[in-house]
Amino acid sequence: MSHYPVAGTWTSCPACGRHVHQSQWGRWQQCPYCHYWRRLPAVDRITQLVDPGSFTALTTTVQSQNRLDFPNYDEKLRQAKLKTAQTEAVITGQATFAKWPAIVIVMDSYFMMGTLNTSVTRLIIAAMQQARKQKLPVIIVTASGGARMQEGLYALVGMNLILAEVARLAAAKLPLITVLTDPTMGGVSASFAFKGDVVIAEAGATIGFAGARVIQQTMPTTLPADFQSAASLLAHGQLDAVVLRPELRAYLSQVLATYQLSGGPTHG
Ligand SMILES: [Zn+2]
């Protein structure tokens, strides 16, 4: 486990504020006091989800550029790379889930809040193209604040480019499974996050478009306490399931098994 948000042995829980010892967070990274699920770095998410040793990263290389000359963007990129030891806010690769193979795309909220930019778009598209080449299902784990404002329109275009690729997956009869984790917001929720054939969310995730605070400032009404929660979205028919973190792997294996056993890519 990499634990890159952790500086020392003790960290305060972002939800309840209690001091929690490293060992208390445990394997699933859950607060022992308020049961908050801590946001996972992409590498830890992959470790939790896939069969041990089965992950092979795709070799697409990207180099993000400050094309709009946005103030401090270069520095923010540098810091994010340093913190995560990644070149961008997503990790892509191939892995198995209880022996069932899939292409895996995992966004990382610790890299500039998992925001979608030209490089992240390119990595996601390359992974989906690989899926078509190998006739494999795609699993995307979203964790993103939305489009990266430092890349303006270039970032927004990524929403459509990815949706076009999602359509090609559908035409090839390859299933897309999206796993919405905390947070899934903005341009990511407004594009591919809900475009899966199966759309599930991790329990406790906040999922929406604009943040609750922004909405509250522009609306004269009080928002419900469960606003933008995974449970509320499930109740309103937006999700197929809300799954607890320790059960995600088994759930995804089940979906992949159902797909393969029903005939795989040749199945109508
Ligand atoms: Zn807590």
Side-chain angles (χ1 to χ4, degrees), residues 101-180:
I103 291 291
V104 202
I105 299 167
V106 181
M107 303 182 87
D108 195 324
S109 65
Y110 290 100
F111 191 114
M112 294 196 71
M113 199 37 81
T115 43
L116 186 71
N117 72 336
T118 44
S119 296
V120 171
T121 297
R122 198 171 304 153
L123 289 165
I124 291 174
I125 288 175
M128 288 177 172
Q129 287 170 341
Q130 188 64 27
R132 276 198 292 136
K133 206 165 137 190
Q134 295 180 245
K135 297 197 184 334
L136 288 174
V138 178
I139 294 173
I140 304 185
V141 181
T142 61
S144 174
R148 191 173 300 171
M149 66 169 185
Q150 289 88 344
E151 294 194 21
L153 197 58
Y154 292 112
L156 293 175
V157 166
M159 294 164 61
N160 277 350
L161 293 174
I162 294 170
L163 284 179
E165 206 53 49
V166 168
R168 289 183 197 110
L169 280 179
K173 301 198 188 305
L174 296 168
L176 173 67
I177 304 152
T178 54
V179 182
L180 282 48

Side-chain angles (χ1 to χ4, degrees), residues 107 114-116 142-147 159 183-194 208-209:
M107 303 182 87
T115 43
L116 186 71
T142 61
S144 174
M159 294 164 61
T184 295
M185 301 296 289
V188 168
S189 71
S191 60
F192 56 92
F194 285 101
F209 186 65

Side-chain angles (χ1 to χ4, degrees), residues 34 51 71 151 179 181 243 250:
C34 73
D51 295 342
E151 294 194 21
V179 182
T181 73
V243 183

